[in-house]
Amino acid sequence: MLDKLFVNGQIHTMVNPADVYSVLGVKDGIIEYVGNDSDNLCARETIDLNNSIMIPGMADSHLHFYAYCQNTTYVDLAPVRSIEEMIEKMRAKAAETDKGQWIKGVNFDQTKWRENRFPTLEEMDSISTNHPIVIKRTCLHCVVANSKGLEEAGIGRYAESELGGRIELDKDGYPTGILREQTTKLFDDIMPNPIENESIRDEIFKTVMMDMSSKGITCIHTYAAKIWQYNEDIEVYKNFERQGLLPLRVTVCIDDLFEQEKITEEERKDPYRLAQLGAFKVFTDGSLGSGSAALKEPYSNRPETKGLLIASEDELIEKIAGAYVQGYQPAVHAIGDRALDVTIIAIEEAVKRAKEQGETDEDIRNRPPFRIIHAEIADEKAIDRMSRLPLVVDMQPTFICTDLHWLDEIIGPDRVKNAYPMKSMVDKGLILTGGSDCPVETYDPIVGIYAAVTRKDLNGVPKDGFLPEEKLDVFEALSMYTKNVHYATGQENEIGTLEKGKFADLVVLDRDIFNIPEDEIKDVKVEQTYLAGECVYMIK
């Protein structure tokens, strides 16, 4: 007896584009049947899909869940379109905040402001001189403070920047209020944590996870970032799981070496095991929008800088390769072409060392792959080198919606041709996973799929798409957000496609995403979401 039987659907298994069936049966959280004949099948519950599209549960391969939840308590600057508007929103918050208390704004993007620049110290001080104030860029890699905030952090004239960070000074040696990369932690280390209270944290977590279910997300890979005090704790998610309150699978990735889990074969095949540890996160550089991504040649709009590496090349290579030979799965943030080059060298070195210690090619294939996160600028040579290594590329197609408006300005026409080369990577055999880097961009996977297929912003610009030769088809884009994510954790045999014996993580869409005009993909809605065969969301 099946637990659930779905009939009269267009069930896309995502094994191959042509694999579409009408019937799917579930028992004990596992898919027991996929086919076209339901005559001899009995179930406790039969669900008529009425010709709707069913796909595997969608996933986000790279986000910062804790950070997003924390950001919900701050002033959201994402909608702001000018410095004046930012000042007004922050002043409103100051008016209701006791003097001396910190005020923080998040998600600002100066490239979307009318002025297209960072605010000056004078403009930040115009918000308030009685409150320490800091605003954090949407990429998380840059902040701007007022004078009171600089004072509280102990940043004064001739302040020195530590390796991997930068405190910007004016010609007289005074801080401008702009800090990049490692130096941003000077604020995060002293600001109060608004979700330190467990009851407040848990309520926010539950609200956000419910929203994720409504968007068809059944799995997230969430990353800690100790530099910003985003300290992910696997026990928080396991506690939700024990209470039956976890509506999605959570893989927690840490940026410190941690005690690795020993998962039995029985646990691996358990569809109800929802929370697990994942990769060891390594930063190599910053972001393009903040001017801190490490480039081989200077920024076109800031010829005085090439960005910066978080540490020396030798230190980064040793950190990545050293972790791998200890049994960890390195997940490496690399945005600029110089950072990507260092990362590739490190992976090549890690594989070499593993073989010197006796690992065979088969041993390496059976390990979870290296993960390169972002890889936003990759030329043909870099793609070729990556294709010969045991890795997946965790990309964020939604970045294109924002970056296409200013990439040419900051990296120039020659390098921009190598921006987000997703089709070139797929054609070379690389496995791409889909993520959002939330809170940098929305975690809605439908928006990511739209971006990968159209390479346009949400207003349909440009008409033919940004570098249209790099567009993916719908199957390729949807694969990024379904089956490909589970290659990253070595779980592709248990989850990610709708096949007999795999976990019954399922999503029902309100229209045929495979057969609508590409510009309409962003309007697709989720009607139902199932985790291990249990309904966690149904549209009202």
Side-chain angles (χ1 to χ4, degrees), residues 187-480:
F187 298 105
D188 294 300
D189 287 347
I190 61 175
M191 290 184 64
N193 180 359
I195 60 172
E196 195 167 31
N197 181 292
E198 290 185 9
S199 61
I200 294 174
R201 178 201 66 198
D202 288 354
E203 284 303 310
I204 294 174
F205 273 31
K206 284 188 284 188
T207 298
V208 175
M209 288 190 289
M210 288 173 59
D211 186 63
M212 287 179 162
S213 294
S214 76
K215 292 174 172 54
I217 296 174
T218 57
C219 176
I220 61 172
H221 295 182
T222 183
Y223 280 75
K226 64 180 179 180
I227 178 179
W228 304 308
Q229 299 297 327
Y230 301 150
N231 300 312
E232 291 284 9
D233 183 355
I234 184 69
E235 288 305 318
V236 173
Y237 300 100
K238 286 188 173 180
N239 189 46
F240 275 106
E241 181 180 357
R242 284 188 287 267
Q243 297 178 70
L245 297 174
L246 195 58
L248 41 75
R249 303 182 191 278
V250 181
T251 295
V252 177
C253 303
I254 311 293
D255 53 353
D256 266 327
L257 295 180
F258 53 88
E259 184 177 349
Q260 299 178 72
E261 292 180 304
K262 293 179 173 60
I263 305 298
T264 67
E265 190 64 19
E266 182 180 6
E267 289 172 325
R268 174 177 286 276
K269 295 184 178 299
D270 180 3
Y272 303 112
R273 184 178 70 90
L274 303 179
Q276 64 183 9
L277 287 171
F280 165 54
K281 170 71 176 290
V282 180
F283 280 99
T284 64
D285 69 344
S287 72
L288 288 169
S290 68
S292 57
L295 303 180
K296 294 180 179 179
E297 300 297 333
Y299 281 79
S300 297
N301 66 332
R302 296 177 63 208
E304 74 279 5
T305 183
K306 297 181 182 179
L308 65 158
L309 291 173
I310 298 300
S312 72
E313 292 189 13
D314 289 343
E315 288 172 329
L316 291 169
I317 291 168
E318 184 58 40
K319 189 174 186 178
I320 295 164
Y324 186 72
V325 296
Q326 293 180 61
Y328 292 90
Q329 177 194 27
V332 187
H333 167 115
I335 286 184
D337 51 5
R338 182 184 175 203
L340 181 60
D341 190 56
V342 172
T343 301
I344 294 170
I345 292 170
I347 295 173
E348 291 168 341
E349 175 65 20
V351 171
K352 175 186 172 185
R353 291 187 192 181
K355 289 183 176 180
E356 289 173 347
Q357 293 188 3
E359 290 195 46
T360 65
D361 287 336
E362 183 177 0
D363 292 333
I364 291 171
R365 281 195 298 272
N366 288 334
R367 291 181 61 165
F370 291 88
R371 305 178 67 163
I372 298 182
I373 304 163
H374 306 309
E376 292 179 17
I377 305 175
D379 60 19
E380 185 177 349
K381 182 180 178 181
I383 293 171
D384 182 65
R385 289 171 69 193
M386 286 191 287
S387 72
R388 290 185 267 115
L389 292 168
L391 60 83
V392 299
V393 184
D394 296 325
M395 298 200 82
Q396 297 72 39
T398 311
F399 282 10
I400 297 172
C401 298
T402 298
D403 295 5
L404 66 85
H405 294 289
W406 47 259
L407 267 177
D408 189 275
E409 176 190 353
I410 70 170
I411 63 175
D414 291 332
R415 282 179 298 200
V416 82
K417 292 182 291 188
N418 299 319
Y420 302 100
M422 292 184 290
K423 184 64 174 176
S424 295
M425 290 182 177
V426 169
D427 288 348
K428 199 66 179 178
L430 284 163
I431 293 175
L432 308 186
T433 74
S436 64
D437 207 10
C438 170
V440 177
E441 296 286 354
T442 174
Y443 50 68
D444 188 345
I446 294 296
V447 177
I449 294 164
Y450 161 84
V453 173
T454 68
R455 297 179 70 93
K456 301 177 183 180
D457 68 14
L458 294 177
N459 294 315
V461 176
K463 181 175 180 293
D464 296 322
F466 170 73
L467 302 178
E469 65 275 12
E470 294 293 348
K471 289 182 177 182
L472 299 183
D473 64 34
V474 174
F475 184 84
E476 291 168 334
L478 189 55
S479 294
M480 290 179 67

Side-chain angles (χ1 to χ4, degrees), residues 484-516:
N484 288 8
V485 175
H486 305 292
Y487 280 95
T489 52
Q491 294 176 285
E492 67 272 16
N493 293 325
E494 288 77 40
I495 187 172
T497 55
L498 303 185
E499 299 177 85
K500 182 177 180 180
K502 291 195 173 184
F503 300 169
D505 295 356
L506 320 165
V507 166
V508 180
L509 305 177
D510 72 343
R511 68 196 77 180
D512 188 350
I513 193 170
F514 295 93
N515 291 295
I516 57 177

Side-chain angles (χ1 to χ4, degrees), residues 1-6 24-34 44-45 56-57 218 249 266-274 493-506 530-536:
M1 174 75 72
L2 296 170
D3 296 324
K4 287 185 176 65
L5 184 64
F6 297 89
L24 184 144
V26 177
K27 182 175 176 61
D28 297 330
I30 300 288
I31 298 171
E32 283 291 314
Y33 176 81
V34 182
R44 294 182 178 87
E45 181 181 7
T218 57
R249 303 182 191 278
E266 182 180 6
E267 289 172 325
R268 174 177 286 276
K269 295 184 178 299
D270 180 3
Y272 303 112
R273 184 178 70 90
L274 303 179
N493 293 325
E494 288 77 40
I495 187 172
T497 55
L498 303 185
E499 299 177 85
K500 182 177 180 180
K502 291 195 173 184
F503 300 169
D505 295 356
L506 320 165
Y530 296 83
L531 181 73
E534 296 299 318
C535 185
V536 292

